[in-house]
């Protein structure tokens, strides 16, 4: 066998070595790398190689040597680290390490319940942007140009583009849905909204809403009332009563504020309902024909109702939370009181 064939053969041998134990490692060293090993022997024979072939033979021989040395070194490191590792300490009979799981946020619990209750009567969920233009937040909703709700007091405008604002209600999503879809529409719009109010136990600069619309042929005020009664009873209990008081919103006509019988005293009078027996929970009404027209829906053909409520308000009533700020302070002592789901 000439030296080149031998180098080739040894290269294959070295490549196929599996060095897992210190015994295998030692016999590999003896066989290939030690003074009397196969690779040094080849270096001995190198002297006999013809001058014309020396360069090439020298190159492959060095490659083989480096390869064998690398293999040895890597395997040695590996064997040393694993054998010097402490004995496995896993004890299957030891008690587990407890870690606390989170619970759902009370606002999320209420929102989920609203999704569930409304989905049972065919409403789907729609979402939209929190930074809105004037059209979707105000103009399309029939707000007159000089309406006080557009004032700086209530609305956070975007400084470098005052035609944009943080939405003050999710009615903006109603407009987006009415503009892009054809009736019948049955949707609820959850999301965060912003109003420039001084922060106190009863007000914050942001809160969460679920608003909704139902638009179809022949939708009437009776449908609105029945839908509101259905959802109130699902949320607050089968004996819940509702009452509607005339009100004003630019985007509904007629408009109403809705109260439910006080969930705490069941209408007898307590400090939650300020001894009236009723608590206000939402605004609603029949969608104003101008709003439908603004969204390319023919008010002669279609009618609809809309409603909007604050999720915090519902959560406060359901869980009797005294301070609105608790919902956004991330205090675990508060948050972990709400389980469920
Ligand atoms: N958008 C109103 C608000 O934020 C609520 C509302 C919605 C009232 C739909 C009537 C109809 O206060």
């Amino acid at each position: 066998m000439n030296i080149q064939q031998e180098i080739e053969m040894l290269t294959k041998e070295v490549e196929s070595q599996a060095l897992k134990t210190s015994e295998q490692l030692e016999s590999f060293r003896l066989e290939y790398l030690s003074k009397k090993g196969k690779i040094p022997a080849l270096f001995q024979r190198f002297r006999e190689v013809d001058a014309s072939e020396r360069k090439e033979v020298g190159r492959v021989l060095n490659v083989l040597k480096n390869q064998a040395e690398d293999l040895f070194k890597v395997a040695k490191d590996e064997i040393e680290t694993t054998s010097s590792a402490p004995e496995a300490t896993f004890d299957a009979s030891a008690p587990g390490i407890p870690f606390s799981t989170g619970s759902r946020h009370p606002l999320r619990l209420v929102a989920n319940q609203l999704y569930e209750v409304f989905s049972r009567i065919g409403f789907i969920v729609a979402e939209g942007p929190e930074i809105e233009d004037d059209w979707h937040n105000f103009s399309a909703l029939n707000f007159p140009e000089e309406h006080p709700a557009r004032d700086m007091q209530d609305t956070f405008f975007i400084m470098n583009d005052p035609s944009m604002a943080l939405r003050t209600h999710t009615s903006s999503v109603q407009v987006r849905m009415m503009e892009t879809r054809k009736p019948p529409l049955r949707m609820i719009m959850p999301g965060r909204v912003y109003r420039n109010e001084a922060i106190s136990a009863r007000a914050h600069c942001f809160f969460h809403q679920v608003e909704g619309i139902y638009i179809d042929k022949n939708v009437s005020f009776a449908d609105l009332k029945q839908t509101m009664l259905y959802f109130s009873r699902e949320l607050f209990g089968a004996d819940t009563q509702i009452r509607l008081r005339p009100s004003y919103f630019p985007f509904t006509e007629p408009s109403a504020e809705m109260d439910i019988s006080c969930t705490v005293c069941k209408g007898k009078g307590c400090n939650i309902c300020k001894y009236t027996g009723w608590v206000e929970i939402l605004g609603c009404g029949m969608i104003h024909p101008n709003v439908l027209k603004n969204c390319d829906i023919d008010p002669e053909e279609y009618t609809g109702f809309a409603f909007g409520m604050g999720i915090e308000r519902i959560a406060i009533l359901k869980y009797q939370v005294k301070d609105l700020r608790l919902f956004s302070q991330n205090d675990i002592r508060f948050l972990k009181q709400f389980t469920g789901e």
Side-chain angles (χ1 to χ4, degrees):
M1 210 187 305
N2 73 26
I3 185 160
Q4 263 156 314
Q5 285 168 327
E6 202 151 328
I7 293 172
E8 214 173 288
M9 198 188 78
L10 280 192
T11 305
K12 284 203 186 108
E13 268 181 47
V14 165
E15 275 168 1
S16 65
Q17 294 290 329
L19 306 178
K20 298 269 181 265
T21 63
S22 38
E23 290 75 34
Q24 286 171 336
L25 192 67
E26 182 57 9
S27 64
F28 176 82
R29 191 187 68 80
L30 287 173
E31 187 172 353
Y32 297 98
L33 298 170
S34 68
K35 263 193 194 142
K36 290 184 184 150
K38 290 178 178 171
I39 294 172
L42 284 176
F43 276 93
Q44 293 291 327
R45 282 180 60 188
F46 184 65
R47 288 187 215 130
E48 306 153 17
V49 174
D50 256 22
S52 62
E53 290 176 347
R54 282 196 157 217
K55 204 169 156 203
E56 178 55 18
V57 174
R59 192 186 66 77
V60 285
L61 190 52
N62 275 310
V63 170
L64 170 63
K65 178 173 163 264
N66 292 338
Q67 202 174 353
E69 282 173 357
D70 286 350
L71 186 74
F72 177 79
K73 202 174 159 311
V74 171
K76 188 165 181 261
D77 285 352
E78 180 103 328
I79 290 166
E80 278 170 4
T81 48
T82 47
S83 63
S84 66
E87 282 291 293
T89 51
F90 180 68
D91 175 1
S93 65
I97 302 162
F99 58 91
S100 48
T101 46
S103 56
R104 278 190 212 278
H105 193 280
L107 297 181
R108 175 48 62 200
L109 288 175
V110 171
N112 285 352
Q113 208 186 345
L114 284 167
Y115 298 169
E116 216 252 311
V117 166
F118 277 102
S119 78
R120 262 188 262 145
I121 52 169
F123 283 67
I124 59 167
V125 173
E127 290 185 324
E130 291 183 15
I131 302 174
E132 262 300 1
D133 51 39
D134 178 275
W135 171 256
H136 291 100
N137 198 77
F138 296 125
S139 297
L141 289 162
N142 200 35
F143 276 81
E145 205 60 63
E146 70 293 350
H147 196 279
R150 292 185 184 210
D151 282 1
M152 301 297 284
Q153 292 149 21
D154 296 318
T155 308
F156 288 112
F157 291 94
I158 305 294
M159 255 162 98
N160 57 7
D161 183 358
S163 69
M164 304 292 285
L166 297 183
R167 66 180 178 195
T168 57
H169 49 189
T170 58
S171 305
S172 54
V173 188
Q174 305 188 346
V175 175
R176 287 179 177 277
M177 292 300 129
M178 289 189 273
E179 279 175 337
T180 52
R181 289 160 195 241
K182 298 247 166 300
L185 295 174
R186 238 179 319 187
M187 304 175 150
I188 54 171
M189 292 80 181
R192 183 174 285 186
V193 302
Y194 300 83
R195 292 186 197 175
N196 189 0
E197 292 184 35
I199 297 170
S200 72
R202 312 199 47 162
H204 210 316
C205 56
F206 65 80
F207 62 100
H208 298 79
Q209 279 192 325
V210 170
E211 295 214 350
I213 47 170
Y214 175 30
I215 304 171
D216 202 347
K217 289 178 177 149
N218 304 316
V219 174
S220 72
F221 203 90
D223 296 317
L224 167 61
K225 239 179 119 174
Q226 192 58 36
T227 308
M228 295 300 102
L229 182 63
Y230 156 75
F231 116 82
S232 303
R233 292 192 164 169
E234 288 297 315
L235 237 77
F236 295 106
D239 54 352
T240 307
Q241 303 292 321
I242 62 167
R243 76 174 182 189
L244 294 164
R245 286 175 289 108
S247 184
Y248 171 77
F249 298 103
F251 36 89
T252 45
E253 180 59 37
S255 304
E257 304 272 1
M258 192 180 94
D259 300 338
I260 56 165
S261 49
C262 180
T263 49
V264 176
C265 64
K266 304 282 173 225
K268 287 191 206 77
C270 68
N271 61 354
I272 302 284
C273 60
K274 301 197 198 83
Y275 299 94
T276 63
W278 297 95
V279 281
E280 185 187 319
I281 62 159
L282 58 78
C284 58
M286 300 306 290
I287 300 174
H288 197 292
N290 288 350
V291 175
L292 293 174
K293 268 189 243 159
N294 286 338
C295 301
D296 253 350
I297 295 173
D298 181 0
E300 298 298 325
E301 196 181 352
Y302 291 104
T303 50
F305 65 73
F307 55 91
M309 67 192 102
I311 303 181
E312 279 83 346
R313 179 120 193 89
I314 309 269
I316 281 173
L317 288 174
K318 261 183 92 79
Y319 303 119
Q320 291 171 42
V321 176
K322 300 248 154 39
D323 190 329
L324 190 66
R325 289 168 291 195
L326 286 164
F327 290 121
S328 50
Q329 280 168 339
N330 272 351
D331 185 335
I332 286 197
R333 290 166 303 176
F334 170 71
L335 294 173
K336 77 177 176 193
Q337 297 173 62
F338 306 90
T339 49
E341 285 186 276

